[in-house]
Amino acid sequence: MTNPTSHILVVDDHRDIREPLARYLEKNGFRVTPAEGGAAMRRALATSAVDLIVLDVMMPGEDGLTLCRELRAGRLKADDGLGAPPDTPVILLTAMDEDTDRIVGLEIGADDYVPKPFNPRELLARIKAVLRRSAGPRDRREAPSTARIAFGRWRFDLARRELVDEDGVAAPLSAADYRLLRTFVERPGVVLTRDQLMDLTTGRSAQAFDRSIDNQVSRLRRKIEQDPKSPELIKTVWGGGYVFAAEVSSEVGDYNGSGA
């Protein structure tokens, strides 16, 4: 169950969509900040913590895909250096109902995707589902695991949600990347079907797109594999799903980038 004080940032350049949606979400117990574009979005993120962003794709200037990409890369900052954590959940809104557009949104790290025109009740349900998956507002989230996992040339800090290679270089992880990688490292050597991965990383309530898991796996492979076209860590089991084939070990103490 989501906390009624969850803070939603609604970013849409159309006032006739932005304002009614904000009022609807407020009536359903959320705190809502409306923003008409990228600049207003940055100002909002610089002044208060946000639990989820509803982000329109088709906006003049900085479009929603660009803003989502900047957020996931940790570059969505205000002039004073403040901004949103890279794993802040994002639901994209767009007037275009094309599979390729949905896939692009998921590939850059969006948590869900809703085409316009949308039913406010459906969007509300999706917001609640994404908040449940991200464990709700920051002040109510469980303390993260303190485990540090080693596999291949990588060190994965579950508490900090950081993935660092043997040279101490961090690989940026979206919220979806983190959930998927954590699912794999906690079940090494176990064949996981696409349905199981959807259950473990998104939940059935998310109504995930059929190809979303395959695209998330491809995106994660590009970040952690030496050769994504010939993966050694996340292997495809034809007719079965995927298996995390690397040896996994837990580490004690702080990782300083110099190895186990």
Side-chain angles (χ1 to χ4, degrees):
M1 190 171 185
T2 57
N3 187 332
T5 60
S6 297
H7 186 191
I8 311 298
L9 177 60
V10 176
V11 186
D12 195 304
D13 61 313
H14 293 286
R15 185 175 181 179
D16 57 346
I17 294 175
R18 181 179 70 246
E19 298 296 341
L21 177 57
R23 289 194 295 271
Y24 178 78
L25 294 176
E26 287 172 345
K27 288 180 180 178
N28 282 275
F30 292 99
R31 176 187 170 200
V32 183
T33 297
E36 69 274 14
M41 176 178 174
R42 283 186 170 83
R43 289 195 296 271
L45 294 174
T47 57
S48 60
V50 170
D51 297 296
L52 182 144
I53 303 171
V54 176
L55 181 58
D56 184 30
V57 169
M58 301 297 291
M59 295 189 296
E62 292 180 297
D63 61 68
L65 293 178
T66 298
L67 289 166
C68 184
R69 197 176 286 114
E70 291 289 290
L71 172 67
R72 293 297 181 242
R75 295 192 297 265
L76 197 54
K77 303 293 185 181
D79 292 339
D80 57 7
L82 298 176
D87 64 346
T88 302
V90 174
I91 296 179
L92 293 176
L93 299 178
T94 182
M96 296 187 296
D97 191 15
E98 298 290 337
D99 285 345
T100 53
D101 299 308
R102 297 185 183 198
I103 291 169
V104 169
L106 293 168
E107 285 182 336
I108 63 176
D111 294 84
D112 206 345
Y113 201 104
V114 178
K116 292 179 178 179
F118 58 87
N119 184 319
R121 290 182 63 186
E122 178 186 358
L123 179 56
L124 176 64
R126 288 177 180 260
I127 288 172
K128 289 180 177 179
V130 171
L131 285 174
R132 284 196 296 270
R133 298 201 303 271
S134 62
R138 289 179 183 83
D139 59 350
R140 289 288 189 92
R141 291 175 187 167
E142 293 182 3
S145 169
T146 58
R148 284 168 291 278
I149 305 298
F151 64 91
R153 62 191 182 94
W154 297 100
R155 303 295 183 271
F156 185 26
D157 190 319
L158 299 182
R160 298 178 181 176
R161 299 193 172 201
E162 290 180 348
L163 182 64
V164 181
D165 69 12
E166 58 196 355
D167 296 319
V169 178
L173 293 177
S174 68
D177 292 334
Y178 170 80
R179 290 193 299 268
L180 183 59
L181 181 57
R182 179 164 184 167
T183 296
F184 278 129
V185 300
E186 289 178 343
R187 299 164 180 83
V190 177
V191 176
L192 297 170
T193 67
R194 289 171 177 82
D195 285 345
Q196 287 173 324
L197 287 170
M198 288 171 66
D199 286 337
L200 292 167
T201 62
T202 63
R204 286 296 173 185
S205 60
Q207 299 178 340
F209 303 116
D210 291 343
R211 295 181 59 189
S212 65
I213 288 296
D214 291 334
N215 282 287
Q216 288 177 31
V217 169
S218 295
R219 184 174 66 243
L220 185 57
R221 279 173 169 167
R222 289 196 294 270
K223 293 183 178 182
I224 69 174
E225 298 279 3
Q226 292 277 20
D227 181 3
K229 294 182 179 180
S230 182
E232 295 295 328
L233 302 176
I234 304 174
K235 293 189 174 183
T236 301
V237 178
W238 299 111
Y242 298 97
V243 62
F244 196 69
E247 291 188 10
V248 173
S249 61
S250 296
E251 295 186 336
V252 179
D254 293 329
Y255 174 63
N256 58 17
S258 60

